Amino acid sequence: MKTNSLRLQLLAWVVLPLAGLATINLWTSQRNALATADLVTDRMLVGSARAIAEQVAMADGVLDATIPPAAIEMFDTGDRDSVYYRVETAGGRLLTGYPDLPQAPRHASVEASYRDHMLRLLTLSHAVIGAGGDSPITVTVGTTLSGHDAMAKRLWFSAFVQQLALVAIAGVFVLLGLRRGLAPLISLRDAVRSPSRSDLDPVDVPGAQSEIRPLIEALNAYMERVRAQMGAQRRFIANAAHQLRTPLALLSTQASYALRETATDARHEALVALQASSGKLARLAEQLLTLSRAEPGSRRPRADRIDLTEAARHVLETQAPAAIARKIDLGLEETGPVAVIGDGTMLREMIVNLVDNALRYSTAGGSVTVKLAAIDSEAVLTVADDGPGIPAEERDHVFERFYRIAGSTEEGSGLGLAIVREVVENAGGRVTLGDGAAGGLVVEVRLPLA
């Protein structure tokens, strides 16, 4: 499994650029080493040529050239270099040395091939007193490049060792610094993974740097949200268990009663009641499932393009039989498509709960009106009924799960408006309750237009 190490990445970001700079410096050092070897070799050639030239003199009217041993021995550096020389008069007469030795430009060194060797050559002019037309003489001295190359290599290798040591020492200090700098992260990891942590208490790392503090604060905030969600889930499970206990007990009682009855009419009546109770229980279970899906983080966010007008029309068609059974005028007022972005299933379930609540609490022979409009970049959905309404002091509580208004005679689970609020808030909207012009309740939902 491939792992990404922050320590190795930081080390690479420091050491690799340093190694690159060291490589450039080594290239420069090589050029400097060659320049130094050239300079030293040229100085030795000048010294050798001058030593030879100073020994040339007139003896008994004859120009005599004697090669001093020092002029040759100064090239004895242990690299077994060969030295070649040539001394000639101004007229080109050879006094001593190798006649085929190439000449170099006056007072300038060159490299040339001679006898299968590369030589570094230098030519020096020197005036000889009393030599007449043979003056000035020219002295050419050349040496093989073994000592020259060895000197350049030694200088370059010394620079290489220094650069390598610099990179290695820098790497060691960077590792030590990273070990100390990353210690708070290691402490944070150990604190989070500690077996003694059985809850989601906030963690604290003493001495943490200012760059790590936001991470610790974000982690603590996340654990706080998780604690809140876990608490909400525990309360939801407890409430759900409490709400399901009564209908299940009622079902069991009605089933037992039906089994004991021998009269056909009484058994039929018990079975009808059992069927009604099972329908209510199924509706409660469906609402519980819908509420769990509507909670943030319970499912992957969706961004469907939904036409609320079409969704409301479909919901009203499915709710029409219930409205007809109670002689309630169920109507839709719209001016065209109203598109929003969100979870299509949850938005339709929101409309179902709003219409179901309105039908449930409206009086027989009353009316329920659903209106849709696009106002100021918002989709506005209102559901109005002519039921008893909700007192102003109760309106903040009716969005709570399983909350029932005291004295309410209508059967319900107390989840309808809780589902509506979860869906609306997840879609980035808001829901408000108000009074109708002729009484009753008006629920207004505002969502951002697509």
Side-chain angles (χ1 to χ4, degrees):
M1 181 177 62
K2 185 178 179 181
T3 59
N4 292 323
S5 170
L6 178 61
R7 182 183 287 107
L8 291 180
Q9 289 183 5
L10 293 177
L11 179 63
W13 276 107
V14 174
V15 174
L16 290 181
L18 184 60
L21 292 175
T23 302
I24 297 174
N25 196 18
L26 284 176
W27 178 76
T28 306
S29 298
Q30 184 182 25
R31 295 177 62 87
N32 292 337
L34 288 173
T36 302
D38 290 345
L39 179 62
V40 171
T41 302
D42 290 347
R43 295 297 184 191
M44 293 171 64
L45 290 172
V46 169
S48 177
R50 184 168 286 118
I52 293 174
E54 289 175 351
Q55 293 298 317
V56 177
M58 295 296 295
D60 299 330
V62 179
L63 191 62
D64 181 57
T66 303
I67 305 301
I72 306 302
E73 291 173 354
M74 68 174 59
F75 294 97
D76 186 12
T77 59
D79 296 300
R80 298 182 179 181
D81 275 318
S82 298
V83 182
Y84 303 91
Y85 55 88
R86 175 183 175 181
V87 182
E88 61 183 11
T89 64
R93 181 169 59 89
L94 180 67
L95 297 178
T96 185
Y98 299 84
D100 56 345
L101 183 68
Q103 278 192 339
R106 300 297 175 90
H107 304 288
S109 61
V110 295
E111 292 185 2
S113 177
Y114 180 68
R115 295 186 179 183
D116 299 327
H117 296 290
M118 286 300 297
L119 300 184
R120 193 168 184 87
L121 298 162
L122 185 136
T123 299
L124 179 69
S125 295
H126 183 73
V128 179
I129 298 174
D134 291 334
S135 180
I137 63 169
T138 58
V139 179
T140 301
V141 180
T143 179
T144 53
L145 299 178
S146 298
H148 171 277
D149 294 342
M151 182 189 305
K153 289 179 181 178
R154 286 193 296 270
L155 291 173
W156 181 83
F157 184 74
S158 176
F160 173 77
V161 172
Q162 292 176 3
Q163 296 298 325
L164 184 63
L166 177 63
V167 173
I169 293 172
V172 171
F173 277 102
V174 169
L175 280 176
L176 293 176
L178 289 176
R179 182 176 181 181
R180 183 176 180 84
L182 295 178
L185 280 177
I186 304 301
S187 300
L188 176 61
R189 179 202 65 185
D190 295 340
V192 173
R193 297 173 57 182
S194 174
S196 60
R197 288 182 57 84
S198 58
D199 50 20
L200 294 173
D201 292 336
V203 296
D204 186 29
V205 179
Q209 298 93 334
S210 58
E211 292 83 1
I212 300 178
R213 279 291 170 189
L215 173 62
I216 299 175
E217 293 171 359
L219 180 61
N220 289 333
Y222 174 74
M223 289 193 294
E224 176 64 29
R225 292 196 301 271
V226 172
R227 277 201 308 274
Q229 289 181 356
M230 291 178 63
Q233 288 180 354
R234 284 194 294 267
R235 292 191 300 271
F236 174 73
I237 292 172
N239 290 333
H242 175 73
Q243 292 294 324
L244 290 172
R245 185 182 297 115
T246 300
L248 288 174
L250 180 59
L251 282 176
S252 178
T253 302
Q254 290 173 335
S256 299
Y257 178 76
L259 289 173
R260 289 196 305 268
E261 284 295 332
T262 58
T264 303
D265 293 342
R267 177 176 293 181
H268 181 268
E269 183 180 355
L271 290 175
V272 170
L274 181 62
Q275 183 182 34
S277 297
S278 63
K280 295 175 183 177
L281 182 59
R283 174 60 180 166
L284 175 59
E286 181 182 351
Q287 286 191 310
L288 288 173
L289 182 60
T290 300
L291 184 59
S292 67
R293 291 200 305 263
E295 289 180 336
S298 62
R299 54 188 290 173
R300 180 176 299 179
R302 295 177 57 179
D304 304 326
R305 185 181 179 90
I306 303 300
D307 180 6
L308 286 183
T309 302
E310 181 63 28
R313 186 179 294 111
H314 178 73
V315 170
L316 265 60
E317 289 175 356
T318 59
Q319 295 288 336
I324 294 173
R326 298 189 59 194
K327 299 181 180 180
I328 295 176
D329 180 15
L330 180 60
L332 174 64
E333 296 181 6
E334 47 89 8
T335 57
V338 178
V340 297
I341 300 297
D343 189 322
T345 303
M346 291 294 99
L347 290 173
R348 294 184 188 94
E349 192 64 29
M350 172 199 71
I351 301 174
V352 169
N353 280 274
L354 287 176
V355 175
D356 181 74
N357 275 2
L359 292 175
R360 188 183 303 275
Y361 290 95
S362 292
T363 58
S367 65
V368 172
T369 304
V370 178
K371 296 181 181 180
L372 273 163
I375 303 175
D376 298 333
S377 73
E378 285 186 324
V380 181
L381 167 70
T382 59
V383 179
D385 62 58
D386 55 2
I390 299 177
E393 63 274 11
E394 299 278 356
R395 290 175 183 173
D396 290 335
H397 299 288
V398 292
F399 290 106
E400 299 175 4
R401 300 173 181 182
F402 305 109
Y403 184 83
R404 299 293 308 281
I405 299 176
S408 176
T409 58
E410 293 296 330
E411 296 182 356
S413 61
L415 292 175
L417 290 179
I419 293 173
V420 170
R421 184 180 65 175
E422 291 285 352
V423 174
V424 171
E425 290 181 352
N426 286 345
R430 61 188 186 278
V431 55
T432 56
L433 304 180
D435 295 322
L441 179 68
V442 177
V443 183
E444 181 181 84
V445 174
R446 289 180 175 263
L447 298 172
L449 281 174

